[in-house]
Amino acid sequence: MNLNRIVNSAFSLAERNWLRDKNPHAHFQNIPSYNHIKIGHKSGKDIIALAPSTKANAGWYSVSTVFETKIGTLEPYSGDWDNCLQIQFESKNRRRMIPFICDLFSCQPHNIDDSFDAILDEWKRFFDKWNTPLSREEQIGLFGELTVLLHLLEHGP
């Protein structure tokens, strides 16, 4: 089973468990071979937690219009989970977020913070464009690309 499916299944299971129990705390799933990562759900939001973080505890901070991060305790866990990086986003965006989440699996437990920052830098352009309309130049470029594609398809596959 590929990582995308594993992550999607873990989010779905965590969501089903939360909906069934309706506990105030999030439900988390462990991912085999990734003891430093937990996948969870709470109140319509998907959560990924990576431990341990070396940064100081901080409340939820909006990184983009897509997701927010927090450094702190992952209830009800302890140990490395007393200070971990947590990322949450609306569950309705799960399908679009899974490639980014899967990239986070390359984060090593001894360097969570720097690994996350490097991965986020690679994805920043994508997140910056999320929910923003195309500029005039981008619209013209897209129209041109679609026109060329239409002409190519008229002459065969």
Side-chain angles (χ1 to χ4, degrees):
M1 186 178 262
N2 72 22
L3 188 56
N4 286 10
R5 285 187 181 168
I6 292 169
V7 169
N8 189 51
S9 295
F11 278 130
S12 296
L13 181 57
E15 182 175 21
R16 277 195 311 272
N17 288 340
W18 187 85
L19 289 170
R20 183 191 68 222
D21 293 346
K22 300 224 186 250
N23 285 332
H25 67 81
H27 279 264
F28 286 93
Q29 302 300 313
N30 295 318
I31 305 296
S33 302
Y34 296 95
N35 297 332
H36 63 292
I37 298 176
K38 291 189 183 293
I39 298 286
H41 180 87
K42 179 181 180 182
S43 301
K45 293 192 177 186
D46 288 341
I47 304 164
I48 180 169
L50 301 101
S53 174
T54 58
K55 292 183 178 178
N57 282 4
W60 289 110
Y61 170 77
S62 182
V63 175
S64 71
T65 59
V66 182
F67 68 92
E68 54 190 358
T69 63
K70 170 185 171 179
I71 304 290
T73 301
L74 184 66
E75 298 291 337
Y77 304 99
S78 60
D80 283 345
W81 303 104
D82 287 336
N83 200 56
C84 66
L85 170 64
Q86 299 169 53
I87 301 146
Q88 75 176 4
F89 56 91
E90 296 289 330
S91 298
K92 67 181 180 183
N93 294 324
R94 181 181 300 160
R95 183 186 58 77
R96 292 176 73 186
M97 288 292 291
I98 284 191
F100 171 67
I101 298 302
C102 288
D103 273 359
L104 296 177
F105 277 73
S106 67
C107 292
Q108 298 301 313
H110 64 275
N111 198 7
I112 293 291
D113 301 312
D114 290 341
S115 298
F116 173 75
D117 290 343
I119 291 167
L120 182 58
D121 283 345
E122 292 177 22
W123 280 85
K124 188 155 180 44
R125 186 167 183 249
F126 173 73
F127 290 128
D128 287 346
K129 289 189 165 271
W130 200 328
N131 294 331
T132 59
L134 295 176
S135 70
R136 176 103 172 112
E137 293 79 21
E138 290 170 324
Q139 291 175 23
I140 292 169
L142 177 59
F143 181 77
E145 290 172 6
L146 292 174
T147 301
V148 169
L149 182 59
L150 180 64
H151 289 340
L152 289 173
L153 290 173
E154 287 175 353
H155 298 290

